[in-house]
Amino acid sequence: MPTTAFSHTVEDAVSNGRTPTRRTVDVVDVRELTPGVVRLTFRDEFTAANVKPAQFVNLYSSNPQHLMPRPFGVSDVDGDRVSLIFAVVGYGTDEFAHLKAGDRVDVLGPLGRPFDLRKDADYLLVGGGLGIPPLLEAAQALAGRDDCRAIAVLGYRDAHFADVYAARYADEVHSIDESEGNVLTLLERLWPELQESGRELIILSCGPTPMMKAVAEWASRRGVDAQLSMEQRMGCGYGTCVACTIDTRDGREKVCEAGPVFTAHQLGWDNK
Amino acid sequence: MNIEQELNETPTSVYAPHEWRHGTVVAGVPWKNPVGTASGTFNAYACGQFYDVSQMGSVTTKGVSPVEWLGNPGVRTAESPAGTVNAVGLQNPGVDHYLAHDLPYLKDLGATVIANVAGHCDDDYAQVVEKLAESDADMLEINVSCPNVTHGGMSVGTDPVALAKLMDRLRPMTDKPMIVKLTPNVTDIAAIARAAVEGGADCLSMINTLVGMRIDIRTGEPIIANRTGGVSGPAVFPVGLACVWRVRAALPDIPIIGIGGIDSGEKALEYLYAGANAVEVGGAALYDPTAPIRVALELEELLDSRPELTEKLAKGDTWR
Ligand SMILES: Cc1cc2nc3c(=O)[nH]c(=O)nc-3n(C[C@H](O)[C@H](O)[C@H](O)COP(=O)(O)OP(=O)(O)OC[C@H]3O[C@@H](n4cnc5c(N)ncnc54)[C@H](O)[C@@H]3O)c2cc1C
Ligand SMILES: Cc1cc2nc3c(=O)[nH]c(=O)nc-3n(C[C@H](O)[C@H](O)[C@H](O)COP(=O)(O)O)c2cc1C
Ligand code: FES
């Protein structure tokens, strides 16, 4: 990004009633959880204080050839520290994976519409692979609520890289990898017990689209409401370019602004 | 001297209200400063959360069509070297929604508003211009240069005869200053520019995006669902600059808004020296939300030491 002599600090934005723009933050930790999957932690008071589960932040490459935003769900917050978990899949994620404590990186956020956690209920956090990070944040948010339970149902290709983070906040963690089945296998296994509790169940899900669709249909058949966190390639991440649309029952909506969270009904995945 | 050295101790905030020192005049319309936002990269509500959009020289809104358009299916965007390729396809809620929401919202804020007009055919353009003719929009920009729609758009902007025919129809419909937005996807941009001016354009803006694409080497297929899209960003900066230069050489008196790859006050200044009356910041806002206001502030510092240029701009004249 071109350097500028004009002030654009977070304090400046807040005191003028504006949302803080893209800014440079300190990286405090980068670690590989399993080959090709990295947890990156940076220090940003504004994001830490304001982010809600399923909201995301944009990271930006320091290479001016690669200008587009890289959106990542926030996985957890600790004081002013914000963590993301991502897979190395291309130029930007490779660059971020090679950052070290003491390096700096540009961020924007938090962005998007979060999961709706207003109801007191048992929340089933159904995540697949790199869709798991926003569910960790949901577990963290629910951990402080006496009247809610967070039951993590996590599916992996192989290494169960996020179980240890889920266990910090969730009341129960169930996980599975492809050698044994998928999240639907787990949901079927858990269903009798979940029904017995008699409490309202709400599914929060993030992962590959076919997985979320199957989860939404499973939930619909059982009368359980589901909220799904969607992905689309983004041009800006904050609602200005109309690049990130998906088709919903409400029309063609921006994933970065109307989403990333949509209900199964909005997506037409509830067989209604 | 660079911008940093020209600044005093307390740096100006991109968020705070500002007294602008160097205005410009574009086709008779005064702008607070010579920097606007480009169409399709500016949304009143999304951008307005980050900065006071009424501080811009002008804001150009997303192309509006007679009725709601859904645009192209996703994926609509891909990264390209120092830029992006997009094929949004002019998704917008239609001119009635625009007149009821975005336009009054922006005028209430005190913004100078350019309404960007989209169409698939001459009738579409005419219907939108008719509705905007008596509106509060300060200027109309006829987008005959979008590469992402199959009819209208660039097919008009690459054909001087079709453009002249469209302008014959639109010109008598309104007294509002009418800008024609030009595409760089032509052999001789000056010929198209001449057709627009002969058809009654009060001003020209350039450039819209260049046709481009990206292919995913894992699948061998285009990344964007529309296959091709429009390239914007720093990569197109020298292209836009040369277009302004050539049109200025061919048409010494027509007001020009320079667009393409502007992400700093220095690049904006290059456009002014090429003969533009004003500039617009487009894609830079996608990866830096406050880029438009920052560019305006940076340009202002640069103009402080260029009185010969600012005197011309203030009168509606240009460097060249
Ligand atoms: C709301 C949201 C939340 C996300 N959260 C996570 C997360 O928590 N963990 C995680 O591993 N990944 C997440 N992703 C996907 C992540 O954004 C991409 O993997 C990443 O942008 C790839 O960047 P790259 O530079 O390595 O890839 P490149 O292919 O080099 O990127 C080129 C461009 O394509 C875009 N792009 C490429 N793949 C994707 C993709 N799958 N989705 C969206 N944009 C893409 C990039 O952002 C960039 O603009 C999320 C995506 C979205 C939309
Ligand atoms: C996502 C996107 C959407 C755009 N939509 C429009 C549009 O609706 N109407 C229009 O005239 N130009 C549109 N443009 C073109 C820009 O206004 C501008 O002419 C072009 O991007 C070059 O400037 P830049 O390099 O600063 O982005 C769009 C560009 C982008 C990147
Ligand atoms: S990514 Fe630009 S509007 Fe959603």
Side-chain angles (χ1 to χ4, degrees):
Chain A
M1 170 148 93
T3 54
T4 176
F6 294 94
S7 162
H8 61 282
T9 63
V10 169
E11 297 72 42
D12 248 11
V14 172
S15 68
N16 283 286
R18 302 284 164 189
T19 302
T21 190
R22 170 174 165 169
R23 54 202 177 270
T24 307
V25 299
D26 292 321
V27 174
V28 291
D29 188 53
V30 181
R31 62 183 63 184
E32 194 169 56
L33 302 183
T34 183
V37 178
V38 173
R39 179 172 188 267
L40 181 148
T41 307
F42 61 86
R43 187 171 266 152
D44 183 46
E45 238 171 74
F46 185 81
T47 302
N50 294 288
V51 68
K52 297 196 177 69
Q55 284 192 310
F56 60 94
V57 294
N58 286 344
L59 259 57
Y60 302 90
S61 167
S62 61
N63 181 341
Q65 294 271 317
H66 295 270
L67 292 168
M68 292 192 68
R70 270 72 182 170
F72 300 101
V74 168
S75 70
D76 65 287
V77 168
D78 178 10
D80 62 356
R81 290 158 186 242
V82 178
S83 295
L84 321 168
I85 296 175
F86 58 85
V88 177
V89 295
Y91 185 89
T93 47
D94 186 61
E95 179 184 321
F96 307 143
H98 286 92
L99 291 170
K100 295 183 299 294
D103 288 342
R104 314 200 77 198
V105 68
D106 276 17
V107 304
L108 178 73
L111 302 162
R113 203 169 60 94
F115 285 127
D116 179 354
L117 304 179
R118 283 173 300 181
K119 281 194 182 166
D120 290 333
D122 284 358
Y123 287 88
L124 270 180
L125 317 181
V126 186
L130 274 306
I132 293 173
L135 299 172
L136 302 178
E137 173 72 353
Q140 187 174 21
L142 292 167
R145 301 250 307 262
D146 291 342
D147 298 323
C148 297
R149 291 203 319 141
I151 302 155
V153 177
L154 311 178
Y156 302 92
R157 187 167 303 154
D158 36 59
H160 295 218
F161 60 82
D163 281 7
V164 45
Y165 297 101
R168 283 186 192 168
Y169 304 111
D171 297 285
E172 292 173 29
V173 180
H174 306 272
S175 67
I176 195 165
D177 59 66
E178 281 176 4
S179 67
E180 219 196 323
N182 56 34
V183 290
L184 287 174
T185 322
L186 284 180
L187 287 173
E188 283 295 340
R189 219 181 269 167
L190 292 168
W191 180 238
E193 192 187 320
L194 292 169
Q195 263 177 312
E196 256 167 48
S197 85
R199 289 167 51 82
E200 181 176 3
L201 269 181
I202 296 175
I203 285 190
L204 311 177
S205 183
C206 186
T209 303
M211 181 209 92
M212 284 195 285
K213 202 168 174 201
V215 168
E217 280 162 3
W218 183 91
S220 167
R221 280 197 297 275
R222 285 158 187 79
V224 176
D225 284 341
Q227 304 174 26
L228 302 312
S229 182
M230 304 294 290
E231 259 188 32
Q232 181 56 286
R233 287 198 183 228
M234 293 189 173
C236 66
Y238 68 90
T240 207
C241 75
V242 209
C244 62
T245 54
I246 56 166
D247 290 332
T248 74
R249 281 194 169 131
D250 306 329
R252 205 160 256 183
E253 296 272 11
K254 299 175 202 168
V255 170
C256 73
E257 201 180 59
V261 175
F262 296 90
T263 63
H265 182 72
Q266 281 177 298
L267 296 168
W269 289 353
D270 58 354
N271 300 322
K272 275 181 197 150
Chain B
M1 206 163 43
N2 68 27
I3 296 172
E4 200 111 27
Q5 290 164 318
E6 283 183 44
L7 265 182
N8 44 22
E9 298 267 301
T10 357
T12 310
S13 164
V14 298
Y15 303 107
H18 188 69
E19 294 285 332
W20 296 95
R21 301 188 287 275
H22 310 297
T24 185
V25 179
V26 184
V29 178
W31 291 25
K32 298 174 194 75
N33 60 63
V35 182
T37 64
S39 180
T41 60
F42 174 81
N43 172 293
Y45 309 96
C47 298
Q49 58 179 317
F50 293 104
Y51 65 97
D52 177 357
V53 300
S54 74
Q55 294 279 320
M56 297 305 301
S58 73
V59 293
T60 307
T61 43
K62 173 89 193 155
V64 282
S65 43
V67 293
E68 179 180 14
W69 281 1
L70 290 180
N72 292 318
V75 171
R76 292 177 167 184
T77 183
E79 186 170 71
S80 60
T84 72
V85 189
N86 94 80
V88 169
L90 294 169
Q91 179 178 345
N92 79 93
V95 65
D96 293 330
H97 182 277
Y98 178 73
L99 287 169
H101 295 94
D102 297 48
L103 184 57
Y105 175 75
L106 284 166
K107 289 311 296 177
D108 281 352
L109 291 175
T112 301
V113 181
I114 304 177
N116 184 270
V117 179
H120 284 149
C121 58
D122 288 9
D123 284 349
D124 283 354
Y125 288 106
Q127 279 179 47
V128 177
V129 169
E130 189 179 10
K131 291 204 166 160
L132 292 172
E134 302 302 321
S135 74
D136 286 339
D138 296 280
M139 310 177 88
L140 305 187
E141 179 175 60
I142 313 301
N143 176 7
V144 290
S145 43
C146 179
N148 300 325
V149 290
T150 38
H151 304 287
M154 208 176 85
S155 61
V156 179
T158 53
D159 177 354
V161 177
L163 180 57
K165 184 167 149 272
L166 176 64
M167 288 306 289
D168 279 349
R169 173 115 180 245
L170 301 184
R171 182 64 277 182
M173 297 177 66
T174 178
D175 295 331
K176 284 199 193 295
M178 204 178 270
I179 306 164
V180 172
K181 184 159 180 182
L182 301 181
T183 171
N185 300 296
V186 289
T187 317
D188 181 7
I189 193 167
I192 306 285
R194 238 180 246 114
V197 172
E198 281 164 12
D202 303 296
C203 178
L204 302 172
S205 59
M206 65 202 75
I207 53 176
N208 209 315
T209 53
L210 285 128
V211 176
M213 75 185 300
R214 291 303 305 273
I215 288 179
D216 184 342
I217 57 169
R218 282 167 294 198
T219 61
E221 292 302 318
I223 294 177
I224 294 179
N226 192 51
R227 300 197 283 277
T228 60
V231 183
S232 63
V236 311
F237 168 68
V239 179
L241 197 62
C243 288
V244 169
W245 175 273
R246 284 177 148 186
V247 172
R248 176 52 75 222
L251 299 163
D253 300 320
I254 190 80
I256 295 177
I257 301 171
I259 313 171
I262 298 173
D263 60 3
S264 68
E266 282 91 341
K267 289 201 181 100
L269 184 58
E270 283 196 50
Y271 271 100
L272 297 180
Y273 280 138
N277 300 62
V279 299
E280 286 174 9
V281 177
L286 303 193
Y287 54 88
D288 179 11
T290 45
I293 191 75
R294 173 176 56 76
V295 169
L297 289 165
E298 288 174 357
L299 179 65
E300 184 172 63
E301 298 282 344
L302 293 164
L303 288 176
D304 277 345
S305 54
R306 291 170 170 85
E308 263 183 273
L309 176 56
T310 53
E311 274 163 36
K312 287 184 191 255
L313 293 174
K315 287 188 292 186
D317 295 338
T318 54
W319 183 253
R320 241 163 252 288

